[in-house]
Amino acid sequence: MSYEFLQSYWWAIISLLAALLVFLMFVQGGQALLPHFQDEKQKSLLINALGRKWEFTFTTLVTFGGAFFAAFPLFYSTSFGGAYGLWMLILFCFVIQAVSYQYRSKPNNIFGRDTYDMFLMINGFIGVFAIGVAVSTLFTGAPFAVNRDNLFAFDGVEGSVISVWKGPFHGFEAFFDLQNILFGIALVAWSQILGILYLTNTVQHDKFLEKSRKLLKQRLIVFLVTILPTLGMILTEPGVSVYPETGDMSWEMYKYARNFFSMPLVSMGFLIGVILILYASTRTIFQAKYRIGIWTAGSGTIMTVFCLFIILGYNNTAYYPSTYNVYSSLTIFNSSSSYFTLKVMSIVSLFIPFVVAYIWYAWRAINNKRIDVEELDEKDGHTY
C-alpha cells in the first residue's frame, strides 16, 4: 500500500463516518421538535423513542472526530487550535445532551424536567446548526496560516507554532458567512426530517403520528429553500486546486462543479441520495401507512454526504482552503499522519464491519417493538 493510497483511503473512511453521523443526527432533529409536543404523554413518547438511540450519535461523533484528527492531525491543530470557539460550542451542546438523558427522570431532580428538555432543544437546534456551519467552512475556507517549516521545532516559542489563526473571533467568524448560515439551517431541517421519519417508524400513537406528518411537510419546505441555494453556491464558488507536479496551489472557479463532472459515479450517487430523501419524505407525508421512510431517507443521506465529502477532498482539491494564504490550504496529502500511523490505523479499520454488525444487532434488539403509551406506564420499564 502506497502512502498516497492510505491517505485517500482514510479520507474515504472519514467521509463515511461523516455520512453516518448526519444520518444519526435524527436524534438531534427529533429533540428540536419538542416545542410542538406539549402533551406530556406525547413528549415522553418522543424523548423515550430518541433516548434509545442518542448514544449511537454521540459515539459516532467522537469516532468521527477522533479518526479525522488522527488521520489528518494538521487539521486538528489548525481548526480546533484556532477556531476553538466554534468547536467548544459544539462540544458543549453535546455534553448537555448526555447529561439530560441521564438525569431528566432521576428522582429528586432539583432542576426539573423542563430544564433538561431545554438542554435537549439546544442540542437539537444550536448543536446541529454549529456542525453545519463548521462543515461549510470546509468549502468556504477559514483565515489561517500554516508554516510547515516549524513541524520539527520544539523550543516552545511563538515562532515555532505550526498553525496560526488569523481571525480575531476564533471560529465565530464562520457565522458571518451567508453560505455557512444557509448550510447550518439546511442541516437543522435535514435532521428534523430524519427525526420525524424515525419517530414515524418507532412510535405507535395516532395523534402523535398525525402531528409528525404535518411537521414533516414544513421541514421539507425549509430544507429545500435552504439547501438548493447552498448547493448553487458550492457549485459556482471557487475552490483551491492542487498541482501535484509542482506543489502549487491556486483558487479555481467552479472547482467543486468540475469535481462532480470529473467523477460521474460520485455525481450519480449524490443525485440518487437526494432523490431517496425526497421520495421518503413525500411518501410519508401523503401515505399514512408508509412508515419505513427512515431507512430510505437514511440511505439517501449516507450517499449524499459521502459523495459531498469525496468531491471536497479528492481530485487534487484542498479540503480546507485558507482565505489568508492559499499555500496554507490543507489537502489530504499535506495534512495527514505518517505512513506508519496510517498503515496501523488501516489494519485496525478492518474491524469496522464487525462493529457495524454489532450496532445493527443492538439497534434491532432495542427496536423490536414500537414504543407506545402502555410501555411508558410499565413500572419496571426504563424511561428517560
Side-chain angles (χ1 to χ4, degrees), residues 75-383:
F75 174 77
Y76 172 78
S77 66
T78 301
S79 183
F80 202 96
Y84 54 79
L86 175 58
W87 289 108
M88 290 303 294
L89 174 63
I90 293 172
L91 290 176
F92 170 77
C93 290
F94 276 84
V95 167
I96 62 174
Q97 180 209 28
V99 171
S100 299
Y101 277 115
Q102 291 297 325
Y103 292 99
R104 180 179 182 273
S105 295
K106 292 290 185 182
N108 303 319
N109 178 1
I110 61 173
F111 294 109
R113 289 191 173 187
D114 290 342
T115 300
Y116 290 114
D117 289 349
M118 181 183 65
F119 287 167
L120 292 177
M121 286 186 285
I122 290 174
N123 176 247
F125 281 107
I126 300 178
V128 175
F129 177 73
I131 288 179
V133 169
V135 170
S136 183
T137 61
L138 299 181
F139 290 97
T140 58
F144 62 88
V146 175
N147 186 354
R148 293 176 180 81
D149 293 335
N150 290 332
L151 283 172
F152 301 100
F154 302 107
D155 53 11
V157 299
E158 184 178 355
S160 65
V161 175
I162 301 169
S163 304
V164 179
W165 198 259
K166 294 297 183 177
F169 301 106
H170 296 289
F172 288 118
E173 62 270 329
F175 292 102
F176 304 146
D177 186 281
L178 177 61
Q179 180 177 323
N180 296 345
I181 294 173
L182 286 175
F183 195 91
I185 296 173
L187 188 61
V188 171
W190 194 347
S191 69
Q192 291 182 20
I193 289 171
L194 294 172
I196 294 171
L197 294 176
Y198 170 75
L199 293 169
T200 302
N201 178 255
T202 306
V203 174
Q204 186 61 48
H205 191 283
D206 292 339
K207 292 183 178 180
F208 183 97
L209 296 176
E210 182 181 352
K211 182 177 292 186
S212 296
R213 288 191 178 88
K214 292 180 180 178
L215 292 172
L216 179 57
K217 186 184 300 184
Q218 300 170 5
R219 270 45 184 189
L220 183 59
I221 294 173
V222 174
F223 174 67
L224 292 174
V225 168
T226 51
I227 197 63
L228 290 177
T230 303
L231 290 175
M233 292 178 182
I234 290 174
L235 294 176
T236 56
E237 71 184 2
V240 175
S241 287
V242 184
Y243 304 96
E245 300 82 7
T246 61
D248 288 337
M249 298 183 183
S250 65
W251 290 95
E252 179 183 341
M253 287 300 299
Y254 309 110
K255 174 59 177 173
Y256 303 110
R258 295 176 188 271
N259 285 357
F260 269 120
F261 285 117
S262 300
M263 297 180 280
L265 289 179
V266 174
S267 303
M268 187 180 302
F270 181 85
L271 182 60
I272 292 174
V274 172
I275 292 173
L276 289 176
I277 296 169
L278 298 178
Y279 170 80
S281 302
T282 53
R283 188 172 176 183
T284 301
I285 292 172
F286 295 107
Q287 189 175 340
K289 293 183 179 180
Y290 183 75
R291 302 181 63 177
I292 58 172
I294 183 60
W295 301 116
T296 306
S299 301
T301 295
I302 293 172
M303 293 177 65
T304 301
V305 177
F306 178 79
C307 293
L308 202 59
F309 266 74
I310 289 299
I311 67 135
L312 183 62
Y314 282 7
N315 198 34
N316 297 320
T317 308
Y319 69 83
Y320 199 32
S322 171
T323 57
Y324 177 79
N325 181 358
V326 67
Y327 287 99
S328 294
S329 302
L330 303 185
T331 72
I332 62 175
F333 301 114
N334 68 13
S335 64
S336 69
S337 293
S338 67
Y339 174 81
F340 176 78
T341 301
L342 293 181
K343 185 177 180 179
V344 173
M345 289 172 59
S346 299
I347 295 173
V348 175
S349 72
L350 297 178
F351 292 96
I352 290 177
F354 299 98
V355 176
V356 172
Y358 172 75
I359 291 174
W360 175 255
Y361 171 78
W363 182 298
R364 298 286 293 180
I366 294 172
N367 267 53
N368 58 358
K369 176 182 176 295
R370 288 195 172 105
I371 186 170
D372 53 24
V373 175
E374 287 73 18
E375 181 178 338
L376 295 179
D377 292 336
E378 292 178 1
K379 294 183 179 180
D380 56 346
H382 174 73
T383 57

Side-chain angles (χ1 to χ4, degrees), residues 25-59:
M25 281 199 295
F26 67 76
V27 175
Q28 279 67 35
Q31 292 167 186
L33 301 173
L34 274 171
H36 300 280
F37 293 91
Q38 297 301 320
D39 179 81
E40 285 300 322
K41 288 293 184 183
Q42 294 185 20
K43 183 185 294 186
S44 294
L45 282 170
L46 183 147
I47 291 178
N48 281 273
L50 299 172
R52 296 173 171 182
K53 298 293 186 294
W54 76 269
E55 291 171 315
F56 288 113
T57 312
F58 197 92
T59 303

